């Protein structure tokens, strides 16, 4: 699967070029975006850029492609279980996304200063990745081909980035419940708290609940 990613030009651009280019722009203009939102907002938008374009979209495209060419059907005729098959197909793009997020956030930390709570930030990233994988599995069930994936992934990709921008810039003082329940809202607030600090740890950990709920819903739909 990892070899196939590097052979597929469209997936390669989606997984590597776009997330890195967008993240580099946010880091380069960090002073401007810190004034609009905060450094935590930059970390959140970078995380969702990578996880939406690099992980979610690539996972849906991969699964749709393997189903279209009957590769999934052939795998299911072997001794491998469904969980093993899905893990093998999704693991490469997941690892790539995690490495990208780690590198990009490290660069952001070097440029702007390290986050207030690194442990909480790691938890937020892992929860977000789990949510995006779940959404990817659910979307793949509605996707007929890699070309169709360009359409089916668009609402979630743009939606989570829009929610991250909305929450990161405006905060959750108003419309708190709505912002936290939308996919990506509570994760954005969690990343912001982890990077900026100033929020009790217990209050921040409660934000994991909506993200976990989205994981459960997405896996159930898949």
């Amino acid at each position: 699967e990892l070899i196939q990613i590097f052979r597929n030009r469209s997936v390669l651009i989606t997984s590597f070029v776009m997330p890195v280019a967008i993240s580099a722009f946010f880091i380069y203009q960090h002073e401007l975006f810190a004034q609009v939102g905060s450094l935590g907002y930059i970390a959140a938008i970078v995380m969702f850029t990578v996880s939406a374009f690099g992980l979610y979209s690539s996972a849906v495209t991969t699964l749709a492609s393997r189903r279209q060419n009957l590769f999934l059907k052939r795998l299911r005729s072997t001794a491998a279980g469904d969980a093993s098959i899905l893990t093998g197909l999704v693991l490469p793009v997941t690892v790539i996304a995690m490495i990208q997020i780690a590198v990009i956030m490290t660069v952001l930390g070097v440029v702007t200063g390290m986050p207030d709570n690194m442990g909480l930030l790691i938890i937020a990233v892992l929860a977000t990745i789990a949510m995006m994988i779940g959404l990817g599995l659910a979307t793949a069930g509605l996707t007929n081909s890699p070309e169709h994936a360009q359409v089916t992934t668009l609402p979630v990709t743009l939606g989570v980035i829009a929610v991250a921008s909305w929450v990161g810039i405006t905060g959750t003082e108003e419309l708190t419940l709505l912002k936290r329940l939308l996919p990506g809202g509570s994760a954005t607030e969690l990343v912001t708290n982890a990077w900026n600090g100033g929020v009790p740890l217990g209050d921040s950990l409660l934000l994991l609940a909506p993200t976990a709920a989205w994981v459960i819903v997405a896996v159930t739909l898949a």
Side-chain angles (χ1 to χ4, degrees):
E1 279 303 313
L2 186 61
I3 294 173
Q4 292 298 321
I5 290 174
F6 285 98
R7 288 178 177 175
N8 191 320
R9 188 172 300 174
S10 61
V11 173
L12 192 62
I13 292 175
T14 302
S15 300
F16 287 97
V17 179
M18 289 183 60
V20 172
I22 295 173
S23 299
F25 173 74
F26 272 91
I27 294 175
Y28 179 73
Q29 297 287 350
H30 66 273
E31 294 181 354
L32 173 62
F33 288 108
Q35 292 176 357
V36 174
S38 65
L39 293 177
Y41 159 64
I42 298 175
I45 203 68
V46 163
M47 177 185 70
F48 274 105
T49 298
V50 174
S51 61
F53 285 102
L55 174 56
Y56 167 75
S57 297
S58 298
V60 175
T61 302
T62 297
L63 293 173
S65 175
R66 301 298 175 265
R67 185 172 63 245
Q68 184 186 47
N69 60 22
L70 302 182
F71 183 65
L72 278 179
K73 187 175 182 179
R74 293 196 297 272
L75 282 178
R76 295 195 69 185
S77 66
T78 66
D82 291 346
S84 298
I85 293 172
L86 289 175
T87 300
L89 294 173
V90 176
L91 184 60
V93 292
T94 303
V95 173
I96 290 172
M98 292 176 67
I99 294 174
Q100 284 181 307
I101 292 174
V103 171
I104 292 170
M105 286 198 174
T106 299
V107 173
L108 177 63
V110 170
V111 173
T112 65
M114 300 306 291
D116 181 78
N117 192 326
M118 181 64 73
L120 186 62
L121 180 63
I122 293 173
I123 292 174
V125 171
L126 294 177
T128 301
I129 288 176
M131 181 184 72
M132 298 309 294
I133 292 174
L135 292 173
L137 295 176
T139 307
L142 306 173
T143 307
N144 301 322
S145 66
E147 294 75 20
H148 190 210
Q150 298 177 10
V151 178
T152 57
T153 59
L154 197 60
V156 173
T157 299
L158 298 181
V160 294
I161 293 177
V163 170
S165 297
W166 184 31
V167 173
I169 293 174
T170 64
T172 56
E173 288 76 15
E174 299 179 354
L175 302 175
T176 303
L177 184 60
L178 173 62
K179 291 179 178 179
R180 288 177 176 174
L181 291 180
L182 287 172
S186 59
T188 298
E189 186 178 1
L190 187 59
V191 171
T192 302
N193 293 348
W195 198 283
N196 297 337
V199 179
L201 180 61
D203 293 345
S204 294
L205 290 177
L206 290 175
L207 297 172
L208 289 171
T211 303
W214 274 108
V215 174
I216 296 172
V217 170
V219 172
T220 302
L221 292 176

